[in-house]
Each structure stands twice: as structure tokens, then as C-alpha cells.
Amino acid sequence: MGGTADGMGALGIDFVDAQVEASVASVLVTVETALLTNINSADPLVAEAARHLVDAGGKRFRPLLVALGAQFGDPTAAQVVPAAVVMELTHLATLYHDDVMDEAPVRRGAPSANSRWTNSVAILVGDYLFARAADIAADLGTEAVRLQARTFARLVHGQIAETVGPRAGEDPVRHYLNVIAEKTGSLIATSTRFGGMFGGAPAAHTEALAGYGETVGMAFQLSDDLLDIASESVQSGKTPGTDLREGVPTLPVLYALSSDDGDAASVRLRDILSRGPVTDDALHAEALGLLRESPALKRARETVRSYAEEARSRLAPLPHGGPRQALESLCDFIADRTG
């Protein structure tokens, strides 16, 4: 089975209320079983390929946030688990598509679907998972279908923007933050919204949860950018400096490239980064060292903290107690993990 209790710990959720923790864990265990049931197919190849990433596990961040959002209403409501399954299936579908676009050989420590089968199979399995998510959403009602469709549209817009890159005259940093909002923030916002909606929370609380989800999703994704540079270990799930080696423009790199600092280290760093992917081992080690000591990394840390604090402020309309404290602890975790 994939990540349930382990995932909660990995995501830095601090449950001060044991009852809330047990309730969320119960939802996640049920979600895990429901995922396997809902991806089944009469076609053995589709069934095997669709199970591929579910079996590989993962943090189940989105179902976790559905479960936490439902704590502001009735977390045992019948629609909470299906809502969480819709969110995870939608997320998994995007991973199949992302791996094709990125030509990724590995996903979650296992060969990616596109490398194990083919790009065409991976794309079609992603489509199948989107279809399964839509089918389940239909049982949740018209509003759920509409929200899932609109979230999917944002995901597609984000992927297109990332693929095309900044347009002429567009600020690369603003473009990048928009991509993160569309590709990551959107689905996490809908996850927390679904938790509130299907747990029966008051409308004002559901809106606050959605705002929190959008901003905490941004903070979490951006903090991964920093871990790729600042982490000495594989804390980020990848070898440090992988994005740099692959030429992926992350926030610290974009800040460094847009800097007009005239000191020798900043000038040297801009010179290396402006060449594109840093594949030479000696240059890679030099660039990583310069980035770790750069004002750009400090600025990126401040950006992550500002999103984490904004996410915390979005929780203001929610009642104090165990569920809110758990959501606040995620903000603390994100701020702390970036140093």
C-alpha cells in the first residue's frame, strides 16, 4: 500500500490532537483501498499501467488535505473519501503526462510508465485516470464535476505555460510563479475545498480552506526548489542539484539570473547559469556552491516563507482547535525545511 501514516509524518503535519490524527489516518487508509478499486479495468494492460503509480506509493498530500478540510465539518461524511479519491486520481493522471513531457525515466523510485511501456500508453493511461476521476466526481454532484473540470483546465494552462516558457517581455519569475500556481496550487486548493464542501463545513470555512490550499501548495512546491540546492542529502527525493544539471529554471536560479549584483560571485554565477543545463561536473559543483551562498537563495527562502505565512493567515476565519493547528503546523514545516 502507498503512504498513509508515513506520508503524514513526511509532510510535517504535527497532530496535537490524537483524535484528529486518528480520523485523518482512517480516511487515508480507506482512500488507499478505494484507489485500487477505482482504477481497475477489464483490460489487463490498462489495469497494470494504472496501478503502477498507485503501487509506488507517495505522500498522498491531496487526500490528506481533503481529510483535514473535512475536520471542519463531519469527517465521517460518506462523500469525503470519494472526494479524496477524485483529487488523487487527478494528480496521478498529471504525473503520467508530466513524465512523458519531461522524458522522465523514474518516478517514485520505480521506472516511469513511459519508460516501462511507451509514451502513448502513458498518455492514454493518464487520460483513463482523468476519466475515472470524472466518473466518481459525477456521483458527488454537479458542483464537484465543475470544480474538477476547472481545476483540470488550470493544470493544462500551467503545463502549456511551462512548455512554451515566458513570452517576449514577460518577467520570468512572474511566469514561473504562475506556472506553480496553475500546476500545483490549483489542485491543492480544490483538495482543501472538497474537504470543507463534502464534510459539510460552513461556506466561509470552505472558502478559507481553498485559499489556504492554494498558497500552502505554492509554498510547498517552491520549498522543493530550495531543497534541490540547499540539501546535502536526498531530502528532496532527488540528488541535490538535479534541476541545475537538467536546466530546470527554479526560483533561486531565476532570482540569480535576474540579479544585477556586481560582486564577483554573482557575476560568475550568472555566467554559468546563462549557458543552460550545467552538465559538466566541475561547473555543476561550482554553481551549486555559489548558489548556496548567494543572495538569490536567501531571497527565494524569503519568498517561500511569505507564502507559508500567507497560507497561515488564510486560516484566520477557521475555529481554533486540533484541525487548524494541524494545518498551521504544515506552514511551520515548510518554513523550517528551507532553512
Side-chain angles (χ1 to χ4, degrees):
M1 290 283 180
T4 53
D6 289 343
M8 295 195 298
L11 286 164
I13 303 287
D14 183 11
F15 288 96
V16 295
D17 186 325
Q19 188 173 347
V20 171
E21 183 175 15
S23 173
V24 170
S26 175
V27 169
L28 293 180
V29 168
T30 311
V31 164
E32 209 64 31
T33 303
L35 280 171
L36 292 173
T37 301
N38 281 288
I39 62 173
N40 206 11
S41 167
D43 185 303
L45 174 60
V46 174
E48 182 187 7
R51 278 191 63 136
H52 185 63
L53 282 184
V54 173
D55 288 345
K59 296 185 285 288
R60 304 292 189 247
F61 191 20
R62 291 140 195 90
L64 171 64
L65 289 175
V66 173
L68 277 170
Q71 298 293 320
F72 296 91
D74 175 10
T76 66
Q79 292 182 314
V80 171
V81 167
V85 171
V86 169
M87 291 294 92
E88 186 65 8
L89 287 178
T90 303
H91 172 58
L92 288 171
T94 67
L95 298 185
Y96 281 84
H97 289 173
D98 280 355
D99 284 348
V100 171
M101 299 194 72
D102 297 342
E103 300 180 347
V106 175
R107 167 70 70 174
R108 295 179 174 174
S112 61
N114 50 300
S115 63
R116 181 168 172 178
W117 291 284
T118 63
N119 281 346
S120 295
V121 168
I123 290 169
L124 291 169
V125 170
D127 291 345
Y128 171 72
L129 294 177
F130 274 124
R132 293 298 303 128
D135 195 2
I136 300 164
D139 290 334
L140 297 174
T142 306
E143 187 63 13
V145 174
R146 180 179 294 112
L147 284 168
Q148 197 243 0
R150 289 178 177 174
T151 303
F152 185 22
R154 287 191 66 190
L155 290 166
V156 171
H157 274 106
Q159 187 62 65
I160 290 171
E162 183 177 57
T163 303
V164 172
R167 291 177 168 84
E170 185 179 7
D171 175 19
V173 172
R174 184 184 296 275
H175 173 271
Y176 182 69
L177 294 175
N178 179 65
V179 166
I180 300 296
E182 299 285 77
K183 285 192 63 178
T184 302
S186 63
L187 193 55
I188 293 173
T190 303
S191 298
T192 44
R193 182 185 292 280
F194 266 20
M197 276 177 63
F198 295 111
H205 292 174
T206 298
E207 286 302 318
L209 285 164
Y212 166 86
E214 179 96 18
T215 46
V216 87
M218 292 281 296
F220 200 86
Q221 185 62 48
L222 292 171
S223 70
D224 277 353
D225 286 3
L226 274 64
L227 285 180
D228 183 62
I229 291 165
S231 174
E232 293 289 351
S233 67
V234 289
Q235 183 183 359
S236 61
K238 323 181 265 196
T239 304
T242 297
D243 290 333
L244 195 62
R245 192 176 292 277
E246 295 177 354
V248 176
T250 58
L251 189 63
V253 168
L254 290 171
Y255 278 156
L257 285 169
S258 66
S259 164
D260 57 3
D261 292 340
D263 61 285
S266 296
V267 171
R268 174 61 177 161
L269 180 57
R270 283 198 300 275
D271 176 52
I272 298 172
L273 296 178
S274 64
R275 305 176 195 178
V278 187
T279 55
D280 177 82
D281 288 344
L283 272 181
H284 182 270
E286 183 184 359
L288 199 56
L290 289 168
L291 265 173
R292 286 173 174 169
E293 300 299 323
S294 69
L297 185 62
K298 180 181 178 183
R299 185 180 173 192
R301 283 196 175 107
E302 290 167 355
T303 300
V304 171
R305 289 198 188 99
S306 72
Y307 276 109
E309 287 309 309
E310 183 185 347
R312 188 196 308 277
S313 73
R314 298 294 185 97
L315 297 171
L318 298 174
H320 290 280
R324 177 168 162 177
Q325 286 176 301
L327 293 173
E328 287 174 338
S329 74
L330 181 56
C331 300
D332 294 331
F333 172 73
I334 292 169
D336 290 345
R337 82 198 283 245
T338 58

